[in-house]
Amino acid sequence: MKFGALAAVQMVSFSLNPGEILGMIGPNGAGKTTLLNCVIGIHKPTSGRIFLNQIDITGMKPHKICRMGLAKTSQIMEPFMAMTVFENVLVGALHGGRMRMRLATEKTEKVIELVGLKQYAYKLSGSIPVPARRRLELARALASGANILLLDENMAGLNPHEIDEALEILKKIRNSGKSLIVIEHIMRVVMGISDRIIVLNYGSKIAEGFPEEVVNDESVIKAYLGDKLTSLKVA
Amino acid sequence: MNFKIDRIILIMFLGITAALAFLPNFVESEYLLRLITVVIFWIGIAGCWNMMSGYTGYIDFGPVVYFGIGSYVVAIAMTKYGIPFFPSLFISGVISGSVAFLVGIPTLRLKGAYFAIATFAFAEAMKQITLEFDRTFSVSFFQGSDGITLPISGHDNSFFFYCVLPVTFLVMLAHYFIEHSKFGYGLKAIKEAETAAEISGVNTTANKLGAYVSSAFFLGLFGAIEAYWITYITPSDVFNIQKTVQMVIMTLLGGMGTFLGPVIGATFLTLISESLGARFVEYYLIMIGGIIIVAILIMPNGIIGSLKIRKKLRFI
């Protein structure tokens, strides 16, 4: 994916297996969000192809890709402010899930229960705290019935206790048979839930493998995790 | 979700419309009947704008073009082809809607001010086309600035009351449908955050186009009714930007993207300009301007919009 002359993501290839949680890490500006935005159709990739169950979805419109079962939560949260939490999720069920009103209402109730947003259900989504908004993003994606969820820093800004709760929800989602790609900076989260991890730096993939392999990889440590402290001088 | 209150409002709305249908039997004064017809007429027109711009947040600054197209279609159909009024009326709506479909495909890709400018430009362009077409091609079709005189209907005010009422009723019914349907949630999602709507599965193009075309269809009907009512149309009358401004102000005053917004806004503004206009012939426009400024300062979301926020109501 190029923006003008700037290549944001280049020569990256990866795959996601059914039921898998794939972690994606890398320094800021490495191209993680851009990569996922290409996958769900917000950006049209300048080269390369994307396949979903052997079907080429490169360059398809985002709403079509969503209806095919690929939903993403955004790092920059964009709730439909003037709507209640319930209605926000309802949009996902009605349009993403292509359901009729009655079915969509039931689905929405279920999803809200699952992510633990019941107490906020009838509040305006512009008026709820950040952790709840993060869950709302997740709920909206879930309501569309997607089998693959792409979570772009869905836990940014949460405190350790809230992270634990969010992890529980993710495990529940995984156990219901969905696959996930998780972009996250919090290593505890990535290490804890990922089956596999890929590492991006300057728009290229620099490592891929099991969590333990990746964190001990020389290039990953250099690019992202930081060198081990070898000497410290205090003048 | 308070569906109970929504049902009550729907029943009240149906009841009021039904009661209005008997109105001409009781109102003796022709002036009063005409005034009520004008109010209902403007409720419908403001409602057309609200349907598109109020719910999607795409500020259409040229809705008058569909009104004008409706006027011209009915005039040409009746005078040049001798088609009776009601079939012509229907043709007006269909042609307005079809034009909106063709225009909407490119223009609805534009956002914010660019959409407003494009729609405004299209309305002005249509005015120039109807003005200059005949002279350029040496034909007599739109009859340029001479205008077209329609067959005198001979119908009284109550006839036009019964023309306007059902169309406005349908416009308001469409509002109710928008507030409670998949389509409407799509429109509201587009207004709030278009990209988020898209990745949540909303077919934004189809939804916007749907709103734009239905708004144009009804505007075409209103344009056709007005043309038959006043029996004489010219391009600068039917494509007058002032009509656009009036639709926008009425809806803003009542509350954009609300069910009752256009009703309250249009009623308020029509009645106030009527009553002030009779008393202060020279100054009434200044007074109305002042009232609008004060109202928007106090209630930035419009009368209904502010009420909705203050009372935490979902649907009105």
Side-chain angles (χ1 to χ4, degrees), chain A residues 67 82-83 87 94-96 101, chain B residues 180 182 189 192 200-201 314:
Chain A
R67 290 171 185 181
M83 293 191 211
E87 289 172 320
L94 283 170
H95 287 270
M101 192 55 106
Chain B
H180 294 89
K182 180 176 170 173
E192 298 297 324
S200 304
R314 293 304 305 146

Side-chain angles (χ1 to χ4, degrees), chain B residues 139-177:
Chain B
V139 289
S140 173
F141 196 67
F142 293 116
Q143 298 178 12
S145 54
D146 294 341
I148 301 179
T149 306
L150 282 85
I152 303 291
S153 63
H155 291 297
D156 57 357
N157 284 328
S158 68
F159 173 81
F160 291 101
F161 177 85
Y162 284 120
C163 284
V164 169
L165 186 67
V167 183
T168 299
F169 172 73
L170 286 178
V171 170
M172 295 317 293
L173 206 62
H175 273 69
Y176 186 86
F177 171 73

Side-chain angles (χ1 to χ4, degrees), chain A residues 7-225:
Chain A
V9 182
Q10 231 174 355
M11 307 287 285
V12 175
S13 74
F14 69 97
S15 61
L16 176 71
N17 304 318
E20 186 183 38
I21 296 187
L22 178 67
M24 194 180 281
I25 58 174
N28 290 328
K32 305 181 295 291
T33 301
T34 307
L35 181 57
L36 291 197
N37 280 348
C38 285
V39 172
I40 59 158
I42 290 182
H43 301 316
K44 265 193 190 131
T46 34
S47 64
R49 312 235 65 104
I50 301 150
F51 292 92
L52 174 64
N53 301 330
Q54 277 99 48
I55 300 166
D56 191 349
I57 59 165
T58 321
M60 268 194 194
K61 288 251 173 129
H63 73 267
K64 280 211 176 120
I65 293 179
C66 172
R67 290 171 185 181
M68 288 175 75
L70 243 170
K72 177 175 173 281
T73 69
S74 300
Q75 177 183 9
I76 302 153
M77 295 168 288
E78 278 191 307
F80 309 131
M81 296 280 192
M83 293 191 211
T84 62
V85 167
F86 189 92
E87 289 172 320
N88 264 268
V89 182
L90 190 65
V91 170
L94 283 170
H95 287 270
R98 315 199 77 173
M99 292 177 203
R100 291 189 169 277
M101 192 55 106
R102 185 177 302 249
L103 249 152
T105 311
E106 281 167 19
K107 174 87 182 175
T108 303
E109 277 162 5
K110 261 187 228 156
V111 170
I112 284 182
E113 176 91 53
L114 174 74
V115 300
L117 272 176
K118 234 177 169 182
Q119 50 168 329
Y120 296 115
Y122 300 107
K123 292 234 163 78
L124 288 183
S125 63
S127 71
I128 60 173
V130 169
R133 284 198 206 182
R134 294 269 177 221
R135 289 185 193 187
L136 173 58
E137 284 277 332
L138 188 60
R140 207 163 59 187
L142 270 176
S144 71
N147 283 321
I148 305 171
L149 296 175
L150 316 180
L151 310 185
D152 192 352
E153 293 197 35
N154 198 244
M155 297 185 200
L158 304 192
N159 68 34
H161 173 66
E162 288 157 353
I163 289 173
D164 286 336
E165 287 179 350
L167 275 174
E168 279 310 304
I169 296 169
L170 284 198
K171 280 176 190 156
K172 265 194 251 173
I173 293 169
R174 192 242 306 258
N175 291 342
S176 68
K178 297 191 190 301
S179 324
L180 287 92
I181 298 180
V182 179
I183 295 181
E184 203 59 72
H185 281 301
I186 307 161
M187 286 310 285
R188 180 161 75 90
V189 174
V190 187
M191 294 298 289
I193 57 167
S194 304
D195 299 316
R196 259 189 321 140
I197 291 179
I198 64 174
V199 188
L200 293 185
N201 191 26
Y202 291 113
S204 312
K205 187 168 80 174
I206 57 168
E208 173 172 1
F210 296 113
E212 310 80 52
E213 289 171 15
V214 167
V215 288
N216 294 317
D217 188 300
E218 207 57 40
S219 54
V220 176
I221 293 174
K222 221 172 188 178
Y224 183 53
L225 299 172

Side-chain angles (χ1 to χ4, degrees), chain B residues 84-126:
Chain B
F85 174 62
F86 284 106
S88 308
L89 177 68
F90 182 70
I91 296 169
S92 304
V94 171
I95 290 186
S96 282
S98 315
V99 173
F101 183 79
L102 295 177
V103 171
I105 291 172
T107 54
L108 285 168
R109 289 164 191 270
L110 303 169
K111 300 217 160 93
Y114 299 100
F115 178 74
I117 292 167
T119 48
F120 173 73
F122 178 59
E124 289 299 302
M126 278 307 289

Side-chain angles (χ1 to χ4, degrees), chain B residues 12-292:
Chain B
M12 270 170 62
F13 161 65
L14 293 175
I16 290 170
T17 315
L20 276 172
F22 295 102
L23 197 74
N25 301 331
F26 299 101
V27 178
E28 306 239 311
S29 147
E30 283 291 312
Y31 165 74
L32 193 59
L33 185 61
R34 203 182 160 88
L35 181 63
I36 293 168
T37 312
V38 169
V39 170
I40 296 173
F41 184 75
W42 277 108
I43 290 173
I45 294 183
C48 286
W49 190 77
N50 189 40
M51 227 150 76
M52 170 62 202
S53 299
Y55 284 106
T56 65
Y58 275 68
I59 304 303
D60 181 352
F61 223 73
V64 72
V65 73
Y66 300 111
F67 185 91
I69 289 172
S71 296
Y72 264 92
V73 170
V74 87
I76 289 167
M78 288 179 80
T79 55
K80 303 258 185 317
Y81 299 100
I83 303 170
F85 174 62
F86 284 106
S88 308
L89 177 68
F90 182 70
I91 296 169
S92 304
V94 171
I95 290 186
S96 282
S98 315
V99 173
F101 183 79
L102 295 177
V103 171
I105 291 172
T107 54
L108 285 168
R109 289 164 191 270
L110 303 169
K111 300 217 160 93
Y114 299 100
F115 178 74
I117 292 167
T119 48
F120 173 73
F122 178 59
E124 289 299 302
M126 278 307 289
K127 183 160 82 182
Q128 288 306 317
I129 289 171
T130 45
L131 270 174
E132 300 297 336
F133 186 86
D134 290 9
R135 206 177 320 166
T136 313
F137 296 99
S138 320
V139 289
S140 173
F141 196 67
F142 293 116
Q143 298 178 12
S145 54
D146 294 341
I148 301 179
T149 306
L150 282 85
I152 303 291
S153 63
H155 291 297
D156 57 357
N157 284 328
S158 68
F159 173 81
F160 291 101
F161 177 85
Y162 284 120
C163 284
V164 169
L165 186 67
V167 183
T168 299
F169 172 73
L170 286 178
V171 170
M172 295 317 293
L173 206 62
H175 273 69
Y176 186 86
F177 171 73
I178 287 174
E179 289 275 1
H180 294 89
S181 69
K182 180 176 170 173
F183 174 60
Y185 279 115
L187 295 184
K188 285 190 263 184
I190 291 170
K191 182 181 184 178
E192 298 297 324
E194 190 158 349
T195 314
E198 237 180 325
I199 65 171
S200 304
V202 179
N203 185 349
T204 50
T205 318
N207 278 262
K208 283 184 288 189
L209 206 56
Y212 194 58
V213 169
S214 31
S215 154
F217 172 80
F218 287 118
L219 278 170
L221 296 184
F222 281 117
I225 293 171
E226 203 203 47
Y228 193 46
W229 196 1
I230 57 181
T231 66
Y232 174 65
I233 59 167
T234 62
S236 42
D237 272 344
V238 294
F239 292 112
N240 194 341
I241 178 81
Q242 211 195 323
K243 283 206 178 69
T244 297
V245 174
Q246 214 157 328
M247 286 180 222
V248 176
I249 288 177
M250 281 170 174
T251 314
L252 287 181
L253 204 59
M256 268 174 83
T258 61
F259 178 68
L260 289 180
V263 179
I264 301 294
T267 311
F268 179 75
L269 211 62
T270 317
L271 292 184
I272 210 159
S273 58
E274 192 68 25
S275 59
L276 288 179
R279 234 161 291 167
F280 311 96
V281 184
E282 279 155 52
Y283 308 111
Y284 85 102
L285 284 175
I286 301 173
M287 295 165 91
I288 290 172
I291 291 169
I292 292 171

